[in-house]
Amino acid sequence: MRLGLAQTEPLWEDKRGNFEKAEYFLQEAREKEVDLLLFPEMSMTGFSMHPEKIGEERGNFATLEHFRERAKAYGMYVGVGYVEYRQPKSYNCYAILGPEGELLADYRKIHPFTFGTESVHYTGGEEIVSCRVKEFTVAPFICYDLRFPEIFQIASREAGLIVVPANWPSERREQFMTLLKARAIENQCYVAGINRVGRARTLSYRGDSVVADPFGQVIAKGGSGEMLVTADLDGKLVEDYRREFPAKKDRRDDLYMLHYMR
């Protein structure tokens, strides 16, 4: 399967402008025969703390409807971030759409970023979700989720690819890349981090989107500007490695749970 990471600089809180910008990435992805194209966290707005302005209500998800049509038009799987507006707090979401426009996965970010005041405006989701894309089971998480390895272990019981769309600032870029590789090694699966670039408010973003293989080796990496990063993934590699080096069989989840409950 060919994976594409759309390393973009979103126009701030401008969905229509970002819809137009996304078209260039969709076109390039089709030219490069990408099967699954992924955009960063809050793909069409930037990491906004104004859900009342950018959010979409159930039954009227404009971002999903737009990308349903684009996925169908390009015959491609597409991952896109959006905000589900709720009161008193909203959800930071990420969806994966199929080439027939079907909604395959719809994830609500489990860990809002308290340090960045996200938890003031957004509440955490409760479910780990996944879907089938070509030969892979794919599980999405979002940005700050990367710091919580437990959910990756749960997802990787089935998933051979875990994707992490992000708005991860430049000052912590080394942590982003290190954690992506660590999650790949721990879970014996591919892990892809899709980050934005540019500036928003007081923060700068350098990109550094990464695809790490099950051994933690970086097989594709973005630079500091807008670009499409591609990588070819091999589902059999995940299966063979897990069979030959069955680390998950040595996990002691019952024991871990006992300690968590204390």
Side-chain angles (χ1 to χ4, degrees):
M1 179 179 76
R2 180 161 292 174
L3 180 65
L5 313 182
Q7 187 169 281
T8 64
E9 181 176 0
L11 303 171
W12 185 248
E13 297 181 346
D14 180 359
K15 287 182 198 172
R16 290 298 162 189
N18 286 312
F19 288 168
E20 294 177 10
K21 179 179 268 197
E23 201 70 15
Y24 294 101
F25 286 91
L26 286 159
Q27 291 171 3
E28 184 179 357
R30 179 168 60 183
E31 291 168 5
K32 293 185 175 178
E33 299 182 332
V34 165
D35 297 299
L36 170 60
L37 177 64
L38 302 170
F39 289 89
E41 177 184 19
M42 291 194 191
S43 312
M44 300 295 120
T45 61
F47 188 57
S48 171
M49 297 300 103
H50 300 110
E52 74 286 352
K53 181 177 181 180
I54 65 166
E56 301 169 3
E57 297 189 59
R58 188 161 293 279
N60 187 28
F61 288 152
T63 298
L64 293 191
E65 289 307 311
H66 178 83
F67 282 94
R68 279 183 194 275
E69 294 306 313
R70 304 327 293 148
K72 288 166 63 176
Y74 285 92
M76 189 184 302
Y77 294 87
V78 178
V80 64
Y82 71 101
V83 168
E84 179 184 343
Y85 180 70
R86 292 282 187 98
Q87 285 284 8
K89 295 184 181 182
S90 299
Y91 290 106
N92 180 349
C93 302
Y94 199 81
I96 297 177
L97 302 158
E100 299 299 322
E102 65 274 38
L103 179 62
L104 299 177
D106 195 6
Y107 171 71
R108 291 168 168 171
K109 187 177 184 179
I110 290 174
H111 302 97
F113 187 37
T114 300
F115 180 76
T117 73
E118 183 180 7
S119 60
V120 174
H121 308 280
Y122 299 90
T123 192
E126 301 288 339
E127 293 185 58
I128 295 169
V129 304
S130 64
C131 64
R132 197 72 179 171
V133 178
K134 308 292 280 189
E135 73 267 32
F136 280 90
T137 296
V138 181
F141 292 122
I142 299 175
C143 202
Y144 189 49
D145 286 332
L146 183 59
R147 293 183 180 272
F148 300 89
E150 296 87 348
I151 59 173
F152 284 75
Q153 285 291 339
I154 295 167
S156 65
R157 290 171 184 166
E158 300 293 334
L161 168 63
I162 300 177
V163 302
V164 188
N167 276 214
W168 199 287
S170 300
E171 63 186 270
R172 294 186 287 275
R173 61 184 292 262
E174 291 295 334
Q175 296 173 25
F176 182 60
M177 293 183 286
T178 298
L179 288 168
L180 289 166
K181 291 186 285 185
R183 297 293 93 86
I185 294 167
E186 293 165 349
N187 294 279
Q188 298 180 294
C189 67
Y190 289 98
V191 175
I194 312 95
N195 200 20
R196 63 156 293 169
V197 298
R199 290 192 62 83
R201 300 179 296 170
T202 60
L203 297 174
S204 65
Y205 302 88
R206 196 183 179 282
D208 297 309
S209 298
V210 165
V211 182
D213 72 11
F215 306 99
Q217 297 172 331
V218 174
I219 59 172
K221 183 177 180 298
S224 59
E226 288 192 299
M227 64 183 64
L228 178 67
V229 181
T230 63
D232 291 318
L233 312 187
D234 181 1
K236 191 171 184 300
L237 176 66
V238 177
E239 295 174 4
D240 289 348
Y241 182 41
R242 289 179 174 181
R243 183 178 62 254
E244 294 165 4
F245 187 61
K248 276 188 173 290
K249 291 184 178 179
D250 292 329
R251 287 184 55 79
R252 300 184 63 187
D253 291 324
D254 291 344
L255 176 65
Y256 309 153
M257 285 300 298
L258 286 174
H259 284 277
Y260 272 121
M261 297 299 289
R262 287 181 180 176

